[in-house]
Amino acid sequence: MGGDFAPLEAIKGACLSKNAFPDVHIVLYGDKKVIEGIAQSDSQSLEGISIVHCSEVIEMGEHPVKAIASKRDSSIFRGFMDLASNQIHGFLSAGNTGAMLVGSIQILKSIVGIDRPSLLTTVPKPSGNHGIVLDVGANADNKPEHLQQFALLGSIYAEAILKKSNPKVGLVNIGEENEKGSILSRAANQLLRNTQQIDFIGNVEGREIFSDKHDVLVCDGFTGNVMVKIIEGFYYTFSKRGVKDDFLDMLNFKNHGGGLILGVTAPVVVGHGISKGPTFVKMFELVKNSIESDFCSKVGEAFSILHAKNADQSNG
């Protein structure tokens, strides 16, 4: 029920996804009467799709913590409760991003060893390859240890979901030299150089965002969100000017769907509020790949090792 074009575009996305992934059982959370009425009026078949009736909706502008606490019969809250109890295996929404983050943390819980879950986005490259950037908005303020955790999360994602062998991890910074940058970036650089579980290539400047020298870019959530919004603005500005280019088309968020919330105990994908039917298919595909690759279990295993190593170093 969340998103600028809800629930019609979510319904369209579910129907398209059912055709694209016939082995997946899709469950819609929301007002059953409204969903069935809109599906009928738009000639969308809900055959093979279940509906869990929810009487409340968390609107886009609501305070996330208050909404999750008060609207216990909302589609977001009910979805997270079913995900936490294994009645569903993955959950996605184009609704209130804050509520999705709060629900992930408060209802699902973080994987042991992870202080702050992260949100990522996929970045296309002129070569046709794809990389990822994280965090892109879940955490505005971070410590060096958080960036270390983001780096490991991104590396596991690149390997499990993007099928990258030994993914290369870079730290977004204002210069390539190790001593460049803020207090946070300098401390994070040193920490990442000593993290054996990742292939850290050092600092990466903003002009290298689309380079093939890295597969994963790590930064604090404030920086990452600004980067993403600049890329979106670049795309919309040149599209409105009538520029036609294959790479420019790749920057359209509609081709990438949502972002996986990394660090929680089950797959959760958050989509853009203006997502339409075909974009939801990309979101479904990401959830499906996350489940089938056993991504969350791989994260748990990797962080148990990192947690043990960090504890040994602290004791030493």
Side-chain angles (χ1 to χ4, degrees):
M1 304 299 290
D4 296 350
F5 304 108
L8 175 59
E9 293 301 327
I11 293 169
K12 287 181 177 179
C15 294
L16 289 170
S17 298
K18 185 64 184 177
N19 293 331
F21 316 115
D23 58 326
V24 175
H25 182 74
I26 295 173
V27 183
L28 293 178
Y29 289 79
D31 189 307
K32 191 172 189 292
K33 185 176 180 180
V34 171
I35 292 171
E36 291 178 337
I38 289 179
Q40 184 176 10
S41 64
D42 198 64
S43 301
Q44 299 289 331
S45 173
L46 296 176
E47 184 178 355
I49 297 175
S50 300
I51 301 174
V52 174
H53 177 69
C54 306
S55 62
E56 296 178 302
V57 177
I58 295 178
E59 304 293 347
M60 298 296 276
E62 286 193 71
H63 189 282
V65 176
K66 292 180 180 178
I68 287 290
S70 62
K71 292 189 171 181
R72 297 300 179 95
D73 199 38
S74 64
S75 51
I76 288 179
F77 185 88
R78 292 281 301 279
F80 272 117
M81 291 299 292
D82 283 357
L83 183 59
S85 61
N86 294 317
Q87 296 185 57
I88 57 176
H89 300 104
F91 186 47
L92 64 92
S93 173
N96 188 308
T97 300
M100 291 294 287
L101 288 166
V102 170
S104 295
I105 296 168
Q106 292 189 352
I107 300 174
L108 285 186
K109 308 300 181 185
S110 298
I111 291 171
V112 175
I114 296 178
D115 297 325
R116 295 188 183 183
S118 175
L119 192 61
L120 68 75
T121 191
T122 302
V123 176
K125 302 180 181 183
S127 63
N129 293 324
H130 287 80
I132 58 174
V133 178
L134 71 164
D135 180 43
V136 293
N139 309 275
D141 299 297
N142 294 112
K143 297 178 180 179
E145 294 79 9
H146 299 152
L147 270 61
Q148 181 191 41
Q149 293 174 15
F150 298 164
L152 182 52
L153 283 168
S155 183
I156 297 168
Y157 180 95
E159 193 165 2
I161 306 298
L162 299 183
K163 308 302 180 185
K164 301 280 187 179
S165 178
N166 193 33
K168 300 183 183 302
V169 180
L171 175 66
V172 177
N173 208 335
I174 60 173
E176 294 183 354
E177 298 84 357
N178 292 330
E179 64 274 9
K180 283 289 186 71
S182 64
I183 294 173
L184 170 63
S185 58
R186 293 198 304 271
N189 179 289
Q190 183 175 359
L191 196 57
L192 294 176
R193 278 186 281 136
N194 295 322
T195 304
Q196 297 178 357
Q197 291 168 277
I198 64 170
D199 183 8
F200 181 56
I201 63 169
N203 293 335
V204 175
E205 297 184 68
R207 62 171 174 253
E208 298 287 347
I209 291 174
F210 303 113
S211 167
D212 278 324
K213 67 167 30 174
H214 53 77
D215 302 301
V216 180
L217 283 180
V218 177
C219 56
D220 61 272
F222 184 92
T223 301
N225 192 269
V226 171
M227 286 171 56
V228 170
K229 297 297 172 58
I230 289 173
I231 293 172
E232 287 183 1
F234 180 88
Y235 167 76
Y236 287 123
T237 298
F238 280 88
S239 294
K240 288 178 181 178
R241 292 171 65 89
V243 176
K244 300 294 183 182
D245 183 85
D246 290 342
F247 178 64
L248 185 65
D249 290 341
M250 292 172 66
L251 299 180
N252 188 343
F253 84 94
K254 295 178 181 179
N255 297 323
H256 305 286
L260 191 68
I261 297 179
L262 305 180
V264 293
T265 55
V268 178
V269 169
V270 180
H272 203 298
I274 58 175
S275 295
K276 292 195 173 183
T279 308
F280 276 95
V281 179
K282 296 289 186 180
M283 294 163 65
F284 272 100
E285 183 178 17
L286 179 53
V287 173
K288 182 176 183 289
N289 290 342
S290 301
I291 296 168
E292 292 178 347
S293 66
D294 204 18
F295 174 74
C296 293
S297 294
K298 291 177 180 177
V299 170
E301 293 170 3
F303 271 84
S304 64
I305 296 171
L306 179 65
H307 183 68
K309 287 182 177 180
N310 287 344
D312 288 342
Q313 291 175 0
S314 297
N315 293 334

